[in-house]
Amino acid sequence: MSVPPHWEILHESVRGPGKAHNQDWYDVDDTVDGTLVLAVADGHGSAAHARSGLGARYAVDVFLHRGREFAARARDSGDLRQLHRDACGRVPREIVRDWRDRVERHVRKEPLDGVPKGGELLAYGTTLLGAVLVPGLLVAWQLGDGDLMLVEADGRIRAPLAPAEPELGDETESLCGRQAWDLMRVHWAPVSDPARLPRLLTLSTDGLSKSFAAQDGFVQFVREVDERLAAEGAEPIREALPGWLNHAGSYSGDDTTAVAVWRRPDDAGPSEGGPEAVPSEDGPQDQDRGTESD
Amino acid sequence: MSDIPGGPMESRPVHFIWILDCSYSMLGEKIGTLNYAIREAIPEMQSVAHDNASAQLLVRVLTFSSTARWHQAQPVPIDDFTWQDIQVDGGTNLGAALSLVARELETPPMPQRALKPVLALVSDGQPLDEWRAGLKAIDATPWGKKAVRVAIAIGADADRSVLQEFLGNPELPVLDANSPKQLAAAIRWASTAAVKAASQPVAGGAAGTKQLGPAFAPPKLQDDDDDVW
């Protein structure tokens, strides 16, 4: 019987200064078998996206549902090839379809005044960033802005879902966009050696990374959080996190949300179980950062 | 909060660039009103900036006539910005002005970490040079593509088709200023609404998706029958 890794989970979301509602949403599902499903979403927030807080909530709910299903398939099946196809093709389509269904149901219940038919999705526009971690496999999905950061077991810091070209300004891709599933970026990382699981995984809305004055400020933030976690443990960071996010919000003007999962240095992770690892794999790798369409 | 990991935080800059026609046809009341209107708009720009602490509003001024030259070359925080009157001088070489703006929209000198810049073009005439080359240069820069653009046509002789092309979006109308009162209102609007639009998040924009309609719309300016250009 394998021992599931013990993940410390830290999370916080703060409302932007002067905003009536926080239009970010997040959730984490941490099961006893070592499966983690986590997501954050950032509703666009301006007048054209009046229900984007709800849209963000739907996005996270939908992701957790589909993420749990994916995790169950990953635990039950050793077929990495099929799981990879699912991650790149099926899951993005399911997420977008489910989100649209939820939005359309809500619009039927509470119609939007003055919005032409077909234009309702815009009001609920949101980004989505989510990850599923099961023994032997880490998969993450991203649509729109926000940041997924990994601190690997050897201390390297990576942003595997960062776009090839940095996005300028505040325009973002969105679940309300046309064929949004095609714009979803996917990080696929089988982990054959449990000791090589990332030791820290963070998901955050763009309000955090865009607040740093220095170009590498956010990477430095992740590095220092990792160091402080190792030195002080999770509790001091958990206590400080709301203050940090509020501070960031005062510069970005945005709602700010961060979810982090941290594996203690003495936790090597599960020793077996999960999808069959690729023999040649010696650590997490990006096998596909794009999406498949069918 | 000095112990926050990652180092200092600060709000992102909004680079606002006035692109002002100083050709001879602006002589007299037009240039006088333009100088007056921009000077009077500064407190309103400061007010917008103070209301939006997440943006640092930085202003530059470019004038064009027979040549294009920076009237205020360095980006100045709006709180430190003072207006020095501009003078008329020669023709309408808009293309030269747009080319100079394009150079400033490259990264560098523009930082990657910024909000969308604002380009506010004010003209009363027809360009005398290859203005499309300058516009193409702006459109070829990453920030130029994303810039919030406003265009004010002063008087009946302004070439509205050029200004419309500058806007690059048929849904965004050129603002007509046919009197001193209208010009003052147009400048006031451009100074403030465009800054607000630059700091709003917009869905779409990237990777082949269409921008979903204009983020802001110019006001209807009141007619001023007594004093029309």
Side-chain angles (χ1 to χ4, degrees):
Chain A
M1 181 71 186
S2 65
V3 179
H6 176 67
W7 294 100
E8 288 278 359
I9 301 170
L10 302 89
H11 50 80
E12 189 57 68
S13 184
V14 301
R15 181 162 47 94
K19 297 184 89 174
H21 307 287
N22 185 344
Q23 282 137 338
D24 288 356
W25 198 261
Y26 73 91
D27 204 354
V28 182
D29 191 2
D30 175 22
T31 63
V32 289
D33 63 6
T35 298
L36 269 178
V37 183
L38 52 155
V40 301
D42 180 355
H44 301 325
S46 58
H49 311 287
R51 293 184 179 178
S52 62
L54 207 47
R57 184 174 184 163
Y58 291 163
V60 168
D61 289 351
V62 160
F63 183 86
L64 257 71
H65 172 66
R66 292 298 181 182
R68 280 187 209 109
E69 286 184 347
F70 181 83
R73 290 200 296 277
R75 293 190 68 91
D76 295 344
S77 158
D79 187 351
L80 275 176
R81 204 177 297 272
Q82 181 59 45
L83 287 168
H84 179 254
R85 274 198 296 271
D86 279 4
C88 295
R90 174 176 166 179
V91 174
R93 284 175 180 274
E94 287 175 337
I95 290 169
V96 173
R97 190 188 59 215
D98 289 359
W99 182 81
R100 290 182 178 204
D101 286 348
R102 289 283 299 270
V103 167
E104 284 162 9
R105 279 207 303 276
H106 188 259
V107 169
R108 280 197 294 277
K109 201 169 138 197
E110 294 185 34
L112 282 155
D113 292 335
V115 175
K117 190 155 176 58
E120 298 94 342
L121 288 178
L122 189 63
Y124 295 78
T126 181
T127 67
L128 176 63
L129 180 55
V132 171
L133 190 53
V134 294
L137 182 62
L138 165 64
V139 188
W141 292 262
Q142 180 166 12
L143 181 64
D145 58 26
D147 300 277
L148 179 141
M149 304 295 287
L150 294 174
V151 181
E152 303 288 11
D154 62 4
R156 279 178 306 136
I157 298 177
R158 300 201 303 137
L161 289 172
E165 291 289 321
E167 290 170 353
L168 300 177
D170 276 347
E171 287 180 359
T172 178
E173 289 153 1
S174 171
L175 273 172
C176 71
R178 197 176 306 150
Q179 290 190 279
W181 55 87
D182 279 341
L183 302 174
M184 208 172 280
R185 307 192 289 280
V186 181
H187 172 60
W188 170 262
V191 187
S192 59
D193 178 357
R196 287 183 172 268
L197 273 172
R199 65 188 192 211
L200 179 64
L201 165 67
T202 67
L203 275 61
S204 52
T205 54
D206 67 326
L208 180 57
S209 61
K210 288 177 175 170
S211 300
F212 290 96
Q215 193 74 29
D216 65 347
F218 182 57
V219 173
Q220 187 61 26
F221 172 83
V222 174
R223 178 176 293 117
E224 289 182 37
V225 167
D226 175 60
E227 288 167 358
R228 288 199 199 182
L229 282 166
E232 304 166 25
E235 207 48 43
I237 306 300
R238 195 173 277 127
E239 284 173 18
L241 191 58
W244 295 346
L245 300 187
N246 272 313
H247 189 64
S250 71
Y251 290 99
S252 70
D254 206 357
D255 305 324
T256 311
T257 299
V259 174
V261 295
W262 175 61
R263 191 165 55 90
R264 290 180 175 280
D266 53 357
D267 188 329
S271 56
E272 59 188 58
E276 194 176 317
V278 178
S280 61
E281 198 86 60
D282 62 357
Q285 291 183 2
D286 282 324
Q287 293 200 342
D288 188 345
R289 291 177 51 181
T291 59
E292 277 180 359
S293 54
D294 48 34
Chain B
M1 182 167 287
S2 57
D3 72 333
I4 189 164
M9 293 180 168
E10 66 180 23
S11 48
R12 285 177 291 165
V14 174
H15 287 264
F16 188 112
I17 303 178
W18 284 112
I19 308 167
L20 304 175
D21 186 342
C22 290
S23 60
Y24 274 130
S25 56
M26 289 285 290
L27 188 64
E29 195 176 29
K30 287 180 187 171
I31 200 75
T33 304
L34 182 60
N35 280 317
Y36 174 79
I38 294 183
R39 185 181 292 109
E40 291 298 301
I42 292 172
E44 296 196 37
M45 293 180 85
Q46 290 170 340
S47 174
V48 168
H50 294 160
D51 288 346
N52 188 359
S54 59
Q56 301 174 54
L57 181 54
L58 304 173
V59 183
R60 273 178 277 188
V61 183
L62 180 70
T63 62
F64 62 97
S65 51
S66 300
T67 58
R69 62 171 72 96
W70 288 102
H71 186 64
Q72 170 63 56
Q74 295 304 314
V76 181
I78 187 62
D79 281 344
D80 301 331
F81 181 62
T82 56
W83 184 248
Q84 306 297 319
D85 280 356
I86 54 175
Q87 312 294 331
V88 298
D89 163 32
T92 311
N93 286 339
L94 173 62
L98 298 181
S99 297
L100 275 185
V101 170
R103 275 186 231 162
E104 296 301 312
L105 295 176
E106 297 284 356
T107 46
M110 271 284 283
Q112 286 183 346
R113 182 183 178 276
L115 292 163
K116 283 179 284 192
V118 179
L119 307 179
L121 173 59
V122 183
S123 179
D124 78 331
Q126 300 186 352
L128 300 176
D129 62 354
E130 291 296 324
W131 63 274
R132 276 201 177 88
L135 183 56
K136 203 171 161 187
I138 287 180
D139 289 338
T141 65
W143 279 118
K145 286 189 194 87
K146 292 185 180 290
V148 173
R149 302 184 194 187
V150 293
I152 299 171
I154 301 179
D157 294 335
D159 191 331
R160 282 161 178 76
S161 64
V162 170
L163 298 177
Q164 191 67 58
E165 211 164 318
F166 165 79
L167 290 175
N169 180 346
E171 291 179 46
L172 281 180
V174 173
L175 201 52
D176 288 313
N178 292 315
S179 69
K181 194 185 285 182
Q182 286 187 341
L183 178 56
I187 293 291
R188 198 161 51 242
W189 172 80
S191 308
T192 53
V195 172
K196 289 178 188 167
S199 47
Q200 277 182 358
V202 178
T209 53
K210 289 278 284 182
Q211 187 131 345
L212 301 157
F216 64 103
K220 285 204 170 208
L221 301 180
Q222 287 184 336
D223 288 336
D224 184 3
D225 295 335
D226 293 338
D227 193 1
V228 176
W229 286 318

